[in-house]
Every structure is written in C-alpha cells, then in structure tokens.
Amino acid sequence: ALAACGCATGPRQPAWCSAAVVRQDAEAMIAAVTRATYAEDIEAYMAAMPDELRIDDTSGEVVDRDQWRADVLRDWAVITETLALEQSIESITMNGCESAELIVNQRWERMMMRPNGVEGTDRILTTQRHRETWRHTDRGWQGGEVEELGGDVYVNGEYYAPN
C-alpha cells in the first residue's frame, strides 16, 4: 500500500547487499582455502584469493597477491601435515553496499619440520584474529584487505613468545 500511495522509502538494495550474502560468500571462500591447504593445491588456493589481495601482517609488512603465493609455498614446504584448520566469522559489519568488515578467527594446527636442519617435526598451533574488508565484485563478495590483529603460537603444547 505504501508504494501505491507514492510513500515508499528510497530504492531497494540489491539482493547481494546483505550480511547474509557476505557470510555465504565468505564461508565458501574459507571452505575452498581450507580444502586447498589440506591438499597443498596452490592453484586452487590462489583461485579462491581475491585479485586485489592485500595483507597487513602484525610485523607491519604489507603483502600483495604475488608475495602471498610465494609465502604460502614457502610455508607448505616445511609443513609435513595439516592436522586442523578452522576459521570462523565472528562478526560482519556492513558499510552500505560498498564494503563489509569481517572479524575472522583462525586456528591452525600442523606438523612442521624443525628449523636449521634439525631432524624431526614439531606440532605447531597458531591462532590469529583478522579484520577483513570485503567488497562486492563480479565474483561475488571478496576479501581484498586483511589486517592481522594478533594471536598465539604454541610449539608442542607450550606457549611460544616470539622475540
């Protein structure tokens, strides 16, 4: 009846402009990255990554898509087995239809070769919290910017404090 009287409020937002659609696209990307990580399939992993990937890690370094690919391959070279990789979306804040801010928690447990040629492996558990900026693209919602907010590292069950 509102539309009939000319009293309707503003234009309708597109169907893709909702936290529910952002969550659906983000969970699909997380699942694809998780499968690719278990399989160590760099092509599948990078196919899930946005074209405009930009990661601001806790060291202050900013990493682009090409550097991220090299970093992932470097990491996989010393990981003998991924035991568990879990990522969960804590919150989604819509900024109109322009972008969405996600807080994502990650827990990754894996077996890694010991450094400096020392024989054997260690069980490594890292937790990390991300602030991610997602934008709608031709491929749906994609997270192009990631800011690492910090987390913990455990080596063989013992808390590890980096220098």
Side-chain angles (χ1 to χ4, degrees):
L2 285 179
C5 76
C7 303
T9 59
R12 268 185 75 116
Q13 291 184 330
W16 53 261
C17 183
S18 73
V21 175
V22 173
R23 180 177 294 277
Q24 179 182 343
D25 287 356
E27 288 177 346
M29 188 276 292
I30 287 169
V33 166
T34 299
R35 282 190 305 274
T37 299
Y38 276 105
E40 293 188 5
D41 180 344
I42 193 63
E43 299 309 322
Y45 185 97
M46 294 309 295
M49 294 289 106
D51 298 332
E52 301 301 321
L53 180 68
R54 182 177 185 272
I55 298 174
D56 183 1
D57 71 14
T58 53
S59 73
E61 181 183 4
V62 177
V63 176
D64 66 10
R65 197 173 196 281
D66 291 338
Q67 184 60 53
W68 185 246
R69 177 189 179 101
D71 290 353
V72 168
L73 288 171
R74 177 204 62 211
D75 292 350
W76 287 354
V78 296
I79 295 171
T80 59
E81 181 183 7
T82 290
L83 303 171
L85 175 56
E86 301 155 4
Q87 295 187 76
S88 61
I89 300 167
E90 179 181 313
S91 65
I92 299 173
T93 303
M94 297 297 295
N95 299 312
C97 293
E98 297 302 310
S99 66
E101 181 180 286
L102 282 67
I103 300 297
V104 178
N105 294 301
Q106 180 185 64
R107 181 186 180 279
W108 188 12
E109 189 170 6
R110 59 228 183 251
M111 298 303 294
M112 294 182 71
M113 293 180 215
R114 293 189 171 141
N116 305 318
V118 175
E119 197 158 323
T121 58
D122 290 309
R123 184 183 208 109
I124 307 297
L125 168 63
T126 54
T127 62
Q128 185 60 250
R129 194 165 187 243
H130 304 150
R131 177 180 295 116
E132 304 183 4
T133 301
W134 285 62
R135 299 187 195 299
H136 192 262
T137 71
D138 294 346
R139 293 172 50 193
W141 285 92
Q142 291 195 307
E145 299 168 31
V146 177
E147 177 187 1
E148 293 188 342
L149 302 174
D152 295 319
V153 178
Y154 296 87
V155 178
N156 299 320
E158 300 289 322
Y159 178 75
Y160 173 78
N163 311 7

